[in-house]
Amino acid sequence: MTFDALFNAQIDQLKEDGNYRVFAQLERQTGSFPRAKEYGQAEHGQNSARDVTIWCSNDYLGMGHHPDVIAAMTRTAETCGTGAGGTRNISGNAIHHLALENELADLHGKESALLFTSGYVSNWAALSTLGARLPNAVILSDEGNHASMIEGIRHSKAQKVIWKHNDVADLDAKLAALPANTTKIVAFESVYSMDGDICPMREIIEVAEKHGAMTYLDEVHAVGMYGPRGGGISEREGLADRITLIEGTLGKAYGVVGGYITGSEALCDFIRSFASGFIFTTALPPAVAAAAQTSIAHLKGSSVEREGQQAQVARLRQKLDAAGIPHLMNDSHIIPVMIKDPVKTRQIADMLMEQFGIYVQPINYPTVPKGTERLRFTPGPCHTDTDIDHLVSALKTLWQQCAIAHAVA
């Protein structure tokens, strides 16, 4: 048997289960978001392009197309070049890295911040370093935590305790059961990306403080989106100062790429000095850092984007309810429309694209548990009322064609 045969056997199983992923070929165009060009293959081998509307982007506020953010990136690339030249241990700190870290520390009211190449890497590097190097560390992880957090905890080889999702009583009991000499780290998210639910943050912090535990908060789906300056749920609730480490991303609401942690000067210096995911990774290009700083600074002073996004979320929910399309209720900007079948989820996503020019990526196992397959919609301030009406009309048509149960009124 060839190696390719081994690979293809598992790929074939994915296809049979309905979990094989096919990526659309899209070209986003400045100034037209959420519209994009979708490239397909014509019958005679000629590439064809058509306009589609993106409904599943994590560029939640359209900041990836903001003229000030684009100008900052292009201006810095012209003056500093396209790359960082290596790791910061080799190439040093670009002034744009330091300026961005200062912006992020200010955003969360912390002494310091540290940049990474992605939100995945920042979680993996920080949690693996904390778990590996703190004495007798035990990491208590919410069972809904992202794969990047799970991988970081696994790599740390620290003792891991899973607590029931958003269940503060279960967390309290499991913290109480640990020996007094353990270094306790409670790891959780603010907004969970697939169900869109928001954690009971104040209660989690109070329980952690009662047991002397460090708190590690992932705010990747909340930064830029919540709070008077976009500091996330922790800022909105006035709790940021009580959280030991706040982690976030530059690749969602801020419209660029990269990840970061914020905390005390000692904590960030500790991660900088020991995390292999920082030490051995090429730094973000200065142009990316400049664009991210511009985006963060803009959203600190502007609520227009957040207000527009919240209005369109409310409108889409109301229209889905009126049409009887089932969606998970939550207090966030994420609207999961439940299909609960991998084949039908893929089928509806394909039909939305082919028949209606609507792009949404099906969410199947292993991203979500089997039997909870869904379409995940993220309306933003750039979606018009007409866009929303077109989406709901298309969903209503396909619901009938695919014989999916409507929500009970």
Side-chain angles (χ1 to χ4, degrees):
M1 180 178 286
T2 66
F3 288 114
D4 280 354
L6 295 173
F7 304 147
N8 284 327
Q10 295 196 37
I11 292 296
D12 290 342
Q13 186 62 53
L14 266 184
K15 291 178 178 178
E16 184 177 332
D17 293 341
N19 293 322
Y20 183 71
R21 303 181 184 199
V22 178
F23 299 150
Q25 299 182 58
L26 299 176
E27 182 181 27
R28 304 201 318 169
Q29 298 178 310
T30 302
S32 64
F33 184 75
R35 243 102 7 225
K37 293 290 185 184
E38 187 251 340
Y39 289 87
Q41 197 70 23
E43 292 182 8
H44 304 291
Q46 300 281 328
N47 279 332
S48 61
R50 62 171 180 156
D51 291 328
V52 298
T53 302
I54 299 173
W55 274 100
C56 55
S57 176
N58 285 342
D59 187 355
Y60 292 132
L61 301 177
M63 291 302 294
H65 295 263
H66 194 285
D68 292 348
V69 177
I70 294 170
M73 179 175 283
T74 54
R75 181 174 62 248
T76 308
E78 288 170 352
T79 56
C80 298
T82 58
T87 67
R88 288 168 73 175
N89 292 277
I90 291 173
S91 297
N93 288 323
I95 59 171
H96 302 89
H97 295 145
L98 297 178
L100 175 54
E101 286 173 344
N102 288 335
E103 195 80 63
L104 288 163
D106 174 77
L107 176 67
H108 294 295
K110 299 297 184 185
E111 292 178 349
S112 190
L114 188 67
L115 289 173
F116 293 85
T117 51
S118 72
Y120 191 103
V121 173
S122 56
N123 266 334
W124 180 89
L127 280 166
S128 64
T129 303
L130 291 167
R133 299 200 66 92
L134 294 180
N136 303 313
V138 178
I139 302 178
L140 297 99
S141 178
D142 184 289
E143 67 180 352
N145 279 344
H146 188 262
S148 58
M149 302 175 78
I150 295 168
E151 287 299 323
I153 295 166
R154 180 181 294 129
H155 188 260
S156 76
K157 296 184 170 58
Q159 181 183 343
K160 175 179 66 175
V161 175
I162 306 297
W163 49 287
K164 295 176 184 177
H165 180 52
N166 283 343
D167 188 330
V168 179
D170 189 51
L171 172 63
D172 188 16
K174 286 173 175 171
L175 280 165
L178 293 173
N181 67 339
T182 55
T183 302
K184 307 173 187 74
I185 305 167
V186 176
F188 60 106
E189 301 181 36
S190 57
V191 178
Y192 287 84
S193 62
M194 289 300 112
D195 286 353
D197 52 330
I198 298 176
C199 75
M201 190 176 295
R202 185 178 301 276
E203 291 83 353
I204 291 171
I205 292 170
E206 288 172 352
V207 165
E209 289 174 344
K210 182 174 81 170
H211 295 281
M214 170 183 173
T215 43
Y216 184 110
L217 172 64
D218 176 318
E219 284 262 42
V220 297
H221 290 276
V223 290
M225 305 290 291
Y226 302 93
R229 301 193 310 157
I233 301 298
S234 57
E235 183 193 31
R236 187 187 75 178
E237 301 301 317
L239 297 168
D241 62 316
R242 295 170 65 181
I243 299 167
T244 315
L245 184 154
I246 298 176
E247 182 267 351
T249 184
L250 307 171
K252 293 183 170 60
Y254 294 125
V256 194
V257 67
Y260 65 88
I261 62 165
T262 63
S264 69
E265 185 175 347
L267 185 153
C268 292
D269 196 25
F270 172 80
I271 300 297
R272 181 190 70 86
S273 299
F274 294 111
S276 62
F278 175 84
I279 295 169
F280 299 108
T281 301
T282 298
L284 288 175
V288 169
Q293 184 194 359
T294 300
S295 183
I296 294 164
H298 174 85
L299 288 174
K300 281 180 178 178
S302 173
S303 62
V304 171
E305 293 82 3
R306 286 187 285 275
E307 290 169 358
Q309 192 262 356
Q310 290 161 13
Q312 295 307 72
V313 168
R315 179 179 175 86
L316 178 54
R317 288 192 185 280
Q318 184 271 325
K319 293 286 185 177
L320 290 172
D321 286 340
I325 305 297
H327 58 101
L328 287 184
M329 295 305 299
N330 58 55
D331 294 323
S332 79
H333 57 283
I334 295 166
I335 303 180
V337 170
M338 307 305 291
I339 313 295
K340 301 183 180 180
D341 177 275
V343 175
K344 285 187 176 180
T345 304
R346 172 84 263 172
Q347 180 185 28
I348 291 175
D350 289 345
M351 294 169 75
L352 283 169
M353 180 74 103
E354 293 163 7
Q355 298 179 26
F356 300 97
I358 291 169
Y359 172 63
V360 60
Q361 187 70 6
I363 306 294
N364 290 341
Y365 178 84
T367 305
V368 294
K370 291 179 180 180
T372 68
E373 294 81 9
R374 67 200 63 186
L375 301 174
R376 176 183 176 273
F377 294 96
T378 54
C382 300
H383 288 103
T384 66
D385 292 352
T386 301
D387 290 333
I388 292 174
D389 293 344
H390 178 59
L391 170 63
V392 174
S393 175
L395 284 172
K396 192 170 183 179
T397 298
L398 295 181
W399 234 248
Q400 295 169 346
Q401 290 181 13
C402 298
I404 299 174
H406 284 67
V408 178

